[in-house]
Amino acid sequence: MKKSVGILSGLAIAIAVASTAGAWYTGKQLPAELDNAVARSNAELKKALVTTGGSMSIERVSLEQHFFSTTAQYRLKARDINLGEGEVVNFDVGVTDQIEHGPFPWSRVKALKLMPVMAVSNSTLQKDDATAAWFAAAGEQAPISAQTSLGYGGSVASQVRLAPVKLDEADGNSLDFSGMQLEVSGDKEGKASKFHGQADRFVMKLVRDDQPPATFELKGLKVGGNLAATPHDTVYVGNVDLALAETKVTLGPKQQVLLIKGLEQNVLQALDGPDTVGGRVEYKVGDMTWDGRAVGKAQMVVSVTSVNAPALQALSKWYQAHLPEFEAASAAGQPVPQIRMDDAEKAKFQGDLRQLLAARPKVAIENLAFKTANGESRFNLSMAFAAPASFDLPPDQLSKQLITEVKGKLSLSKPMMGDLATLQALLDGQTDAQAIAMQSSQAGEMVGMMALQSGLATVEGNDVVSSLHYADGMVDFNGRKMTVEAFAMLMAAHLAALSPQG
């Protein structure tokens, strides 16, 4: 018995000594680690916000060190961040960071997390004049808080909490947010990260003048991802997934409801060569109803392959340099301006563009589909590009060398169009079931008849189909082969016939 007690006592003393030594070591290392973290954060913020025309930065204001803990004060400043449509954001808020020294911070010990770490950071937004309203809406608790553990090997694990917020304004506008939990882990350089989070509910009610209110309700938000840096600076590979269990929008004089169950966005990006990157984005819309009546389901997949990463980065920098000119034209309602470039800039721009096109990139809408109870319509389109012999060629020759292949197909389901015609009739208040059925059956047949008469499509069973394939200067349109010039004349004639004057 005495032997066991002695062993336990010795173990306790050893842990105490290790904790004291670790705390002293952490205290010595911490200032440099914090300065490095601030520098890295500012570099990442600069890259992330470069297209907004503004800036955001973090500044360490003070550092008060004790043996087992440290208190740091920061300022987060945003200047002239352009959100679009003339909306600019500026703010200056404070953050307090209570840092527990390792190797065994008490907050982790209480949670039975006994792996040693260098430090645990407990950061919260400070209350001041700029954030007082946000604190009030959050029941006077910190609207944003985070706990971050820094491992001795450089690993970082954070738990970020957005507090529940409820706001009711005198004009009828309101906001009810259940709060959100987000967990992030990775290395301290930000070269690899995993994250996942969820929020139960977000409800916003907007009232404008004498118009009926509009209500937006989101339920069951989930977000997750796994990203890794590449040798190409701002290019990351991995996946980012977002899902909403239910989306409900109520609007209009009759307070009609648009309800979507199952809304997803899945993004995947990967290197498909030493210097090229490709990506794929998939959108899904689950069961959709309008005013209590079934509408259908939708899906879209967009992909990009063989994009030269260094060239893309160089062209992005060129765009960022001329962003003020583009924004000024957009604000004035003018078309994209002609950018004046000297010979050196023009040569650099064309060289980067040639490098991008030399990789023969391809853009595709792999599948755009809409499905109702009785049918499904689909559309796909792909375009392949190449570098031309010269950018100074006449437009017709330049386009032929620039675009090497175009392939697309549209398939409209006649039963699907009938379902949509039925929905429209019911929403319009029609009650004669026989008349609605006749109108619906005629809708698809009428589209098929017009397609055949115009030559823009063919009919294959219950589908109205139009296909196009361009390669080597020739066009195959619904099985008819012709030159590009002949195809352009054909489409111009069809469009003229479809115009009101025609």
Side-chain angles (χ1 to χ4, degrees), residues 316-465:
S316 296
K317 291 180 180 178
W318 177 88
Y319 172 79
Q320 293 156 11
H322 294 282
L323 183 61
E325 298 170 68
F326 294 124
E327 290 179 338
S330 177
Q334 298 175 353
V336 177
Q338 289 284 348
I339 302 299
R340 294 182 179 179
M341 295 184 284
D342 57 29
D343 292 342
E345 184 181 5
K346 182 178 179 181
K348 176 69 167 58
F349 175 83
Q350 290 188 351
D352 294 331
L353 183 57
R354 181 178 299 281
Q355 184 181 3
L356 181 74
L357 295 170
R360 305 183 74 85
K362 185 177 182 180
V363 180
I365 300 175
E366 295 183 6
N367 182 37
L368 173 59
F370 188 82
K371 184 178 182 180
T372 61
N374 295 300
E376 181 178 17
S377 294
R378 299 170 299 279
F379 173 70
N380 60 69
L381 174 69
S382 64
M383 299 181 68
F385 301 88
S390 171
F391 288 104
D392 297 323
L393 293 171
D396 58 335
Q397 296 182 34
L398 179 61
S399 61
K400 287 182 180 179
Q401 294 187 23
L402 184 65
I403 304 173
T404 60
E405 185 180 31
V406 178
K407 192 174 184 179
K409 185 176 182 179
L410 173 66
S411 178
L412 292 174
S413 166
K414 291 191 287 184
M416 186 213 74
M417 288 184 278
D419 288 340
L420 295 180
T422 298
L423 174 65
Q424 184 62 54
L426 293 172
L427 293 176
D428 289 342
Q430 297 185 34
T431 57
D432 189 332
Q434 187 174 358
I436 292 174
M438 181 178 295
Q439 179 180 333
S440 300
S441 64
Q442 291 176 346
E445 296 302 327
M446 184 179 299
V447 172
M449 186 182 303
M450 293 175 61
L452 286 173
Q453 291 177 349
S454 65
L456 292 176
T458 60
V459 176
E460 300 177 5
N462 285 326
D463 295 329
V464 179
V465 180

